[in-house]
Amino acid sequence: MRTIDEKQIKKIKEFIFKNGRLLERRLVSFFFEKGNKDDVIKALVAYQNLDGGFGNGIEPDLLCPDSTAIGAETAMYILDLLGYVNNEITDHLFNWIIKEQNEEGYINHPPKNLYNYPFQEWWSNPDDLRIFALSGFLKKWGLKDATFFEKVKYFYSNSSLPKEFTFYEYPYFIYLKYLGKNKEKKRCNNKLSTNSQVFLKRIRNIIHYLVDIGIMLSILWIKK
């Protein structure tokens, strides 16, 4: 298994501090320089809207200010890394997710202001699977809302699993880890090809060393 040495970490830091947002810089400081967790939270909260959701470009490929499910997941990933849950930030976020969940169990996408701001073309597509990742985090964090989880379960039960999983279907696995029953996990595992199993193993190894997507891009830059 490849690891990152001190020289590479220094290059990563230099790249992120030259090119990254304040949020990425604060994350690097926290994880590699004994930085302050509160400084990361302050940078993160800048992306939270009054409705409790997250937008404003927290997902760098989607710059509209509207709250979105991918914005919520990005924020939850960082909060989970920091162990910063069950507070005012997450309470407002919980309320937004529950309010935005439709009767089919997922959150509608794209947001209404998508086309008024820069975005990558794939974000004009539906993002229904995102609810699986959100529900996994919420279950892990101890949210007790039976109606919310029943709607997600209904959506999962009526979803058609892909013939072969790619990286972008990872929300299924977050859902199954925290909410799946044995028969549901078996249903999902039976769909995994040998190639997918190898792919997932590689992803797990990589994630162990990555703080956020900025560091992953930095590693690619180092190899040039």
Side-chain angles (χ1 to χ4, degrees), residues 58-76:
I58 190 171
E59 159 53 55
D61 290 335
L62 181 60
L63 298 185
C64 81
D66 297 352
S67 297
T68 61
I70 183 59
E73 183 192 334
T74 304
M76 294 171 85

Side-chain angles (χ1 to χ4, degrees), residues 193-207:
S193 67
T194 302
N195 289 336
S196 295
Q197 294 280 11
V198 172
F199 175 79
L200 289 171
K201 184 177 180 180
R202 290 175 179 171
I203 289 296
R204 293 190 197 101
N205 291 339
I206 293 171
I207 287 175

Side-chain angles (χ1 to χ4, degrees), residues 112-212:
K112 65 179 182 180
N113 287 312
L114 175 74
Y115 294 98
N116 295 328
Y117 298 86
F119 67 95
Q120 290 290 356
E121 60 183 13
W122 50 81
W123 286 117
S124 63
N125 299 320
D127 193 32
D128 303 350
L129 299 185
R130 197 68 50 194
I131 196 65
F132 295 142
L134 302 185
S135 62
F137 278 119
L138 293 177
K139 185 67 175 180
K140 178 183 179 182
W141 294 356
L143 177 70
K144 299 184 184 302
D145 189 303
T147 301
F148 169 79
F149 289 116
E150 281 299 319
K151 287 182 179 179
V152 178
K153 182 179 179 180
Y154 172 82
F155 178 54
Y156 175 82
S157 299
N158 288 279
S159 297
S160 298
L161 296 178
K163 292 182 179 180
E164 184 168 325
F165 286 91
T166 69
F167 174 78
Y168 295 102
E169 277 79 44
Y170 69 85
Y172 281 114
F173 297 96
I174 298 177
Y175 172 80
L176 290 171
K177 178 175 181 179
Y178 296 106
L179 289 154
K181 306 295 184 182
N182 287 335
K183 64 179 181 180
E184 292 171 337
K185 292 179 181 179
K186 184 176 180 180
R187 173 184 174 226
C188 195
N189 287 335
N190 287 341
K191 285 281 187 175
L192 287 174
S193 67
T194 302
N195 289 336
S196 295
Q197 294 280 11
V198 172
F199 175 79
L200 289 171
K201 184 177 180 180
R202 290 175 179 171
I203 289 296
R204 293 190 197 101
N205 291 339
I206 293 171
I207 287 175
H208 181 74
Y209 296 103
L210 300 181
V211 176
D212 71 335

Side-chain angles (χ1 to χ4, degrees), residues 63-131:
L63 298 185
C64 81
D66 297 352
S67 297
T68 61
I70 183 59
E73 183 192 334
T74 304
M76 294 171 85
Y77 170 67
I78 294 171
L79 290 166
D80 194 67
L81 277 175
L82 299 174
Y84 195 86
V85 299
N86 299 321
N87 52 68
E88 187 175 356
I89 297 171
T90 54
D91 287 346
H92 291 322
L93 180 55
F94 294 167
N95 291 335
W96 179 83
I97 293 171
I98 292 169
K99 179 182 177 182
E100 292 298 317
Q101 184 188 37
N102 61 31
E103 289 304 313
E104 286 71 35
Y106 57 89
I107 293 175
N108 293 325
H109 185 91
K112 65 179 182 180
N113 287 312
L114 175 74
Y115 294 98
N116 295 328
Y117 298 86
F119 67 95
Q120 290 290 356
E121 60 183 13
W122 50 81
W123 286 117
S124 63
N125 299 320
D127 193 32
D128 303 350
L129 299 185
R130 197 68 50 194
I131 196 65

